[in-house]
Amino acid sequence: MEHIIETNNLSIAFGGHVAVDSLSVKIPKNKFTSVIGPNGAGKTTFFNLLSGQLRPTNGEIFYKGENITKKSSTERTRMGIGRSFQITNVFPNLTVLENVRLAVQSNEKIRYQMMFHFKKYKKFEEKAMELLELVLLETKADSVAINLAHGEKRKLEIAMLLALETDLLLLDEPTAGMSLEEVPAILEVIKKIKEKGDRTIVLIEHKMDMILDLSDQVMVLFNGQLLAQDSPSEIMENKTVQSAYLGGLHDENSA
Amino acid sequence: MRQLGKVQISTWVYLLFGCLLAVVPFVYDNLSMLFLIIQIFIFGIFAMSYDLLLGYTGIVSFGHAMFFGVGAYGVSIVLERNEPTLFFLILGILVALGAAAIISFIAGVLTLRLKSHFYAMLTLALAGLFLVAAEKMRSLTGGSDGLIFTIPDFFKDRTNMYLLALISLVVIFFSLRRLTNSPLGRVLVAIRENEQRTMSLGYKIFPYKVIISVISGVVAAFGGVLYALSIRFIDTTVFAVDVTLDALLMTIIGGVGTLIGPIIGAGLIEYAHHFLSELSDVHWIFERWIILFGIVYILVVIFFPMGIAGSIKNMYMKRKHKKEAKVQQKDNQIAS
């Protein structure tokens, strides 16, 4: 099977605390991978390493066979690694439409044009609007992002990520903080992307029932280490995973 | 946005104001008043350049006076050493703007990779350096005695000088408005809002910061050029920290993140400066008008953090939203 991104002995330590501990994983192309694990297992740190927000203390990352360990987050986005953030991370004082429009503009590679009015690029706005409709946010297009409810900000995050049209989507708890009625709509969006079959999705999630029927494979992280990587049904049966979640398992280092 | 023909209504309003101001010297012939208005135009240009950094990109500069001073000295030195012809005037302007571009480029490349306070500190230090240099290089700058020079006869006429400053202000205002509304300008605002997010959208933020630092430096230098031409004398006070603080005050009081704000701020501060100094016969406190400004500044930051232009814009937006909400409510009622 072809792999889109691989890590080799990836580690990062914050002071004495090793958040991700020699992690070697391969993520298959155009598949849906879920990452689960108890709080503090290093899931978000793992994402930060993949997307370039953090530099590893050790180890390497390969994207489509190329070593990207030393590349900045900007370069990685341009290569096709897009991510959403667990803590909402948007442009607070800009309108919802402008937030998405900036992402579209970046994807169209209009970066240093300073002679024309930005409205000249009408199609950017139209595309941004389409994305907002996709995540059910079109009525809020003219609101300032800071005034959105938490769940709406999450949806905005997803629209911005989709605007980048990256091959690899890293979704960090996309439905966290959303009201229950909103979750199905977002799942629907994720499902649609998955059905197209031309993108690789990696998802961090706590809601087990949500990931089980979506995922092609599940990775379990525990204390920064890979505990298991298997199909969803196998993971459910896995004794070590169960004990990790129920608190029976103790890492020698953390005890 | 409301439009008339292909142009926004606000553009017409600004142009109308520009035309009204162009008539002023022909109907109101008070030399000291004209001089004051020229100063307002000049500091309007200077404050706009400051707001490009502070209001649009979120970069704090503590040494903006340096660019103003380099512009003023550049044109003064060229004119003082040569015949006051139009050729040397243009050459002087080019020298001034070129020097400012180089300095702002170097300052930007050195510090804009780092967090923004490094840029603030470096510009503060550089501005101090230029102040000392201007005092010590007596052969070139005349030291603290300053330089007196003549300009082409055409601009000696107050009305012509007034029109030059006004046209410069209008042209720069509209160019900068286009710049801030361009795709590049929108990225600058994104950088102000959230640097890290801008990066993860695939923008390299460092070149943007350098570009805007150079543009801002050049515009500020042009303000300095006009300043030198308007008083035909120059000394080291153009490098003083006060000049930077004035730009900061004008921008904050007028409204950060707008272009019209700094112009309004420049008008208010220059006028108050003039008016309060005249009141010094009434009470000694008015001679220390900077104390009063300090109080105004604190009050503005606490109660109107958006400044004058920002607060007006906010009020307008709120009213528009209310109207829209009402229309929507009506629609809903009809529907139900």
Side-chain angles (χ1 to χ4, degrees):
Chain A
M1 205 190 308
E2 211 184 332
H3 293 108
I4 191 163
I5 198 161
E6 293 184 40
T7 66
N8 185 11
N9 258 330
L10 197 66
S11 306
I12 187 169
F14 301 110
H17 176 66
V18 183
V20 170
D21 192 1
S22 24
L23 199 58
S24 299
V25 293
K26 290 179 175 173
I27 291 176
K29 199 176 175 188
N30 297 342
K31 294 287 178 199
F32 194 113
T33 306
S34 295
V35 181
I36 61 171
N39 284 333
K43 303 183 296 286
T44 298
T45 311
F46 174 55
F47 264 28
N48 282 338
L49 288 169
L50 291 185
S51 64
Q53 260 77 26
L54 292 174
R55 289 280 158 87
T57 28
N58 233 326
E60 288 154 322
I61 308 168
F62 294 93
Y63 175 70
K64 292 181 178 170
E66 194 183 333
N67 189 338
I68 58 161
T69 318
K70 294 222 161 68
K71 295 220 185 298
S72 70
S73 63
T74 309
E75 285 169 307
R76 292 187 202 192
T77 306
R78 290 187 188 180
M79 293 173 78
I81 304 178
R83 74 166 294 185
S84 77
F85 292 85
Q86 180 186 21
I87 304 159
T88 305
N89 196 353
V90 294
F91 302 115
N93 294 312
L94 303 182
T95 64
V96 170
L97 186 65
E98 179 66 15
N99 265 281
V100 184
R101 205 197 58 80
L102 277 164
V104 177
Q105 183 185 318
S106 170
N107 191 41
E108 300 283 340
K109 302 197 167 42
I110 304 291
R111 299 206 176 96
Y112 297 111
Q113 175 53 257
M114 54 175 111
M115 292 304 171
F116 297 115
H117 198 284
F118 72 98
K119 296 260 180 193
K120 184 176 182 287
Y121 301 94
K122 262 256 143 55
K123 58 176 199 289
F124 293 1
E125 243 165 60
E126 283 160 15
K127 201 175 152 209
M129 207 60 205
E130 279 169 28
L131 287 164
L132 286 180
E133 277 165 29
L134 188 68
V135 297
L136 309 175
L137 214 55
E138 71 273 15
T139 52
K140 294 281 183 178
D142 291 326
S143 313
V144 178
I146 200 170
N147 294 334
L148 293 182
H150 183 73
E152 292 170 332
K153 282 185 190 158
R154 310 287 317 159
K155 293 198 229 169
L156 176 57
E157 276 273 327
I158 293 171
M160 287 165 79
L161 177 60
L162 293 179
L164 292 173
E165 293 182 336
T166 50
D167 295 335
L168 176 62
L169 299 172
L170 304 171
L171 300 169
D172 196 349
E173 291 198 46
T175 61
M178 274 187 199
S179 66
L180 276 177
E181 305 86 65
E182 289 174 320
V183 173
I186 295 306
L187 284 183
E188 203 52 45
V189 173
I190 296 174
K191 253 184 209 153
K192 263 186 210 158
I193 306 166
K194 189 198 163 188
E195 274 159 18
K196 270 195 194 164
D198 57 352
R199 311 257 189 110
T200 313
I201 305 174
V202 184
L203 179 82
I204 292 178
E205 192 51 74
H206 276 302
K207 301 185 182 76
M208 295 287 271
D209 50 336
M210 166 176 159
I211 57 155
L212 285 179
D213 52 322
L214 274 174
S215 313
D216 296 312
Q217 66 157 351
V218 178
M219 277 167 53
V220 186
L221 291 189
F222 184 69
N223 278 337
Q225 288 170 332
L226 185 67
L227 202 64
Q229 181 172 14
D230 219 327
S231 69
S233 48
E234 294 289 327
I235 289 288
M236 286 302 276
E237 300 300 318
N238 191 319
K239 285 278 181 292
T240 5
V241 174
Q242 286 176 4
S243 52
Y245 262 91
L246 296 174
L249 192 74
H250 278 283
D251 192 272
E252 304 137 40
N253 301 329
S254 70
Chain B
M1 252 171 270
R2 273 189 293 177
Q3 295 196 329
L4 187 70
K6 271 195 136 178
V7 188
Q8 278 171 36
I9 281 187
S10 57
T11 308
W12 291 113
V13 175
Y14 292 136
L15 276 178
L16 183 73
F17 262 105
C19 293
L20 281 180
L21 283 170
V23 185
V24 168
F26 300 104
V27 292
Y28 185 69
D29 202 15
N30 178 332
L31 274 185
S32 74
M33 206 60 201
L34 275 192
F35 181 74
L36 176 67
I37 302 177
I38 293 174
Q39 296 303 305
I40 291 175
F41 293 161
I42 291 168
F43 278 94
I45 293 173
F46 183 52
M48 273 197 292
S49 78
Y50 192 76
D51 197 29
L52 283 182
L53 293 180
L54 182 73
Y56 282 94
T57 326
I59 300 172
V60 182
S61 160
F62 281 152
H64 217 53
M66 147 173 88
F67 304 119
F68 190 75
V70 165
Y73 267 104
V75 76
S76 310
I77 291 170
V78 170
L79 280 177
E80 197 238 359
R81 307 195 150 213
N82 299 287
E83 292 296 307
T85 59
L86 195 62
F87 170 76
F88 282 112
L89 174 66
I90 291 170
L91 181 75
I93 293 176
L94 291 180
V95 167
L97 301 189
I102 293 167
I103 294 165
S104 56
F105 181 77
I106 293 172
V109 167
L110 283 179
T111 51
L112 286 175
R113 266 180 210 284
L114 308 168
K115 288 212 157 41
S116 65
H117 46 258
F118 286 96
Y119 185 79
M121 287 298 116
L122 184 77
T123 47
L124 182 65
L126 278 179
L129 190 71
F130 273 97
L131 178 62
V132 175
E135 269 167 14
K136 298 292 173 200
M137 292 166 70
R138 296 191 68 88
S139 58
L140 193 65
T141 63
S144 44
D145 299 336
L147 283 179
I148 299 172
F149 56 94
T150 46
I151 57 173
D153 287 335
F154 181 74
F155 293 114
K156 279 186 183 161
D157 183 64
R158 271 277 166 255
T159 311
N160 289 342
M161 189 63 222
Y162 177 93
L163 290 177
L164 173 71
L166 175 63
I167 291 167
S168 308
L169 176 73
V170 171
V171 169
I172 289 176
F173 174 76
F174 281 111
S175 326
L176 292 185
R177 200 161 77 131
R178 171 44 57 90
L179 173 80
T180 50
N181 279 330
S182 71
L184 177 123
R186 308 310 293 180
V187 178
L188 293 180
V189 176
I191 291 173
R192 177 194 76 195
E193 288 292 310
N194 190 339
E195 273 190 25
Q196 189 214 4
R197 190 68 174 117
T198 313
M199 272 155 64
S200 65
L201 283 187
Y203 294 105
K204 285 188 174 147
I205 59 173
F206 176 62
Y208 287 93
K209 287 182 168 180
V210 175
I211 288 174
I212 199 62
S213 145
V214 171
I215 292 176
S216 169
V218 169
V219 173
F222 190 72
V225 166
L226 288 177
Y227 178 78
L229 294 181
S230 74
I231 54 177
R232 282 177 256 162
F233 164 76
I234 180 106
D235 65 10
T236 53
T237 52
V238 287
F239 283 121
V241 181
D242 297 21
V243 178
T244 306
L245 289 184
D246 271 349
L248 181 69
L249 270 176
M250 289 164 184
T251 311
I252 300 254
I253 290 178
V256 279
T258 64
L259 285 174
I260 195 71
I263 301 179
I264 297 173
L268 274 178
I269 296 212
E270 283 295 313
Y271 184 73
H273 186 334
H274 174 82
F275 179 71
L276 291 177
S277 306
E278 269 181 4
L279 280 182
S280 58
D281 298 339
V282 183
H283 193 280
W284 60 266
I285 186 94
F286 291 113
E287 214 165 321
R288 302 272 171 268
W289 52 272
I290 198 92
I291 297 174
L292 300 175
F293 274 10
I295 297 167
V296 172
Y297 181 65
I298 292 168
L299 292 178
V300 165
V301 170
I302 294 175
F303 294 108
F304 302 99
M306 313 276 291
I308 295 170
S311 301
I312 292 175
K313 206 163 117 187
N314 251 12
M315 260 156 57
Y316 176 77
M317 292 288 267
K318 262 187 197 158
R319 262 176 51 189
K320 212 174 99 184
H321 266 270
K322 259 188 197 163
K323 256 188 205 166
E324 273 168 14
K326 262 187 191 167
V327 171
Q328 227 171 20
Q329 238 175 10
K330 258 187 196 165
D331 285 351
N332 289 346
Q333 276 173 355
I334 292 167
S336 62

